[in-house]
Amino acid sequence: MESWTKTDFPHPDAALAEAEGLRWLAAADGGARVAQVRHAGPGVLELERVRDGSGSAEHARAFGAALARTHAAGAPSFGFVPGQTTGFMAGAPMPGSDAATWGEFYAEARVMPFLRRAEASGAFGARDVEVICAVVERLAAGELDHPQPALVGEVARLHGDLWSGNVLWSPTGVVLIDATAHGGHAETDLAMLDLFGAPHLAEILAGYQEVSPLADGWEDRVALHQLNPLLVHTVLFGGGYAQAAVAAAARYR
């Protein structure tokens, strides 16, 4: 079978981390299909080559159902990263966490580190930081905690970077690549699909809900779960992502 090799990693260990994450996701019983890892070494990752196909509503619905089972496979804790290396996000090691709740984890390991990096780059003014920090306080206090989908336990097994570019539509269905796999809240993956407009999103969500119904009010929390990727993109690209992050935060302050 054909393969392709990826070498554009911010750190040699990032290739090993991604490989471990893909294997961890692939181990979920009945879960979403993941590109097979052929070889991984420092700075080098070889994966099966996924043939291009045209996405269909049928494949989208099947992917949604499979993603629900991936999430339900769970993780030992919030912020857990499989393997012997740390995960990487925005070109740096993912901040660790020993938080017992999702709100604490999201505040301390997914919002504040990237807020501080973006602030240091000049992307945010004092008022912007105040708005986001108000949400951080609510998260840390548990005021914004909410249940996982029905099939998921306390912590979901996340792809972690599930934007549409990492969802490949092969002739036989969806295949996932480029994971930043970790333990978190299932709604985060779904919010990432929404952020950059995944094809057939309504069908993906319908398939998901057939297997693992989402908790009440999930639509109102999409922007909350998008706050981390918006901050990450602010760090990486600046521009309008900073304003989008502030606007997302303002809904929950």
Side-chain angles (χ1 to χ4, degrees):
M1 295 178 64
E2 294 184 37
S3 62
W4 67 283
T5 301
K6 178 180 176 181
T7 58
D8 56 338
F9 292 97
H11 186 282
D13 284 350
L16 301 173
E18 185 173 321
E20 290 294 340
L22 290 170
R23 293 183 180 117
W24 185 55
L25 294 171
D29 188 20
R33 185 183 163 200
V34 178
Q36 182 182 4
V37 176
R38 299 280 174 75
H39 170 74
V44 179
L45 178 61
E46 183 183 344
L47 300 173
E48 68 167 297
R49 182 175 294 278
V50 179
R51 292 190 297 131
D52 289 335
S54 55
S56 68
E58 180 182 3
H59 285 163
R61 206 173 189 97
F63 166 55
L67 181 62
R69 292 188 285 269
T70 296
H71 288 165
S77 61
F78 292 110
F80 170 83
V81 174
Q84 301 302 311
T85 64
T86 182
F88 286 78
M89 185 176 286
M94 282 196 292
S97 174
D98 58 2
T101 67
W102 175 78
E104 290 179 64
F105 159 70
Y106 198 60
E108 72 179 27
R110 292 296 178 269
V111 178
M112 282 304 300
F114 299 101
L115 171 61
R116 293 310 183 201
R117 287 177 63 182
E119 182 185 16
S121 74
F124 292 125
R127 177 61 177 167
D128 300 330
V129 173
E130 180 184 327
V131 170
I132 298 174
C133 282
V135 180
V136 168
E137 290 179 8
R138 294 194 68 202
L139 284 163
E143 295 176 12
L144 298 175
D145 281 341
H146 47 281
Q148 295 274 5
L151 201 64
V152 180
E154 186 173 346
V155 186
R157 184 172 302 200
L158 299 190
H159 176 281
D161 191 15
L162 201 59
W163 73 288
S164 58
N166 291 336
V167 179
L168 305 186
W169 299 84
S170 81
T172 57
V174 166
V175 182
L176 303 182
I177 59 170
D178 288 0
T180 307
H182 64 279
H185 199 292
E187 290 181 16
T188 300
D189 268 354
L190 299 178
M192 191 67 171
L193 285 170
D194 177 86
L195 183 58
F196 297 111
H200 304 291
L201 181 58
E203 290 297 327
I204 294 172
L205 292 171
Y208 192 104
Q209 297 245 53
E210 286 175 0
V211 171
S212 184
L214 296 164
D216 290 345
W218 68 269
E219 299 98 330
D220 297 327
R221 295 187 293 269
V222 170
L224 180 63
H225 285 272
Q226 290 174 343
L227 183 54
N228 166 250
L230 287 170
L231 288 170
V232 167
H233 278 71
T234 300
V235 168
L236 293 175
F237 308 114
Y241 290 113
Q243 288 71 43
V246 174
R251 298 182 56 179
Y252 308 98
R253 59 172 308 192

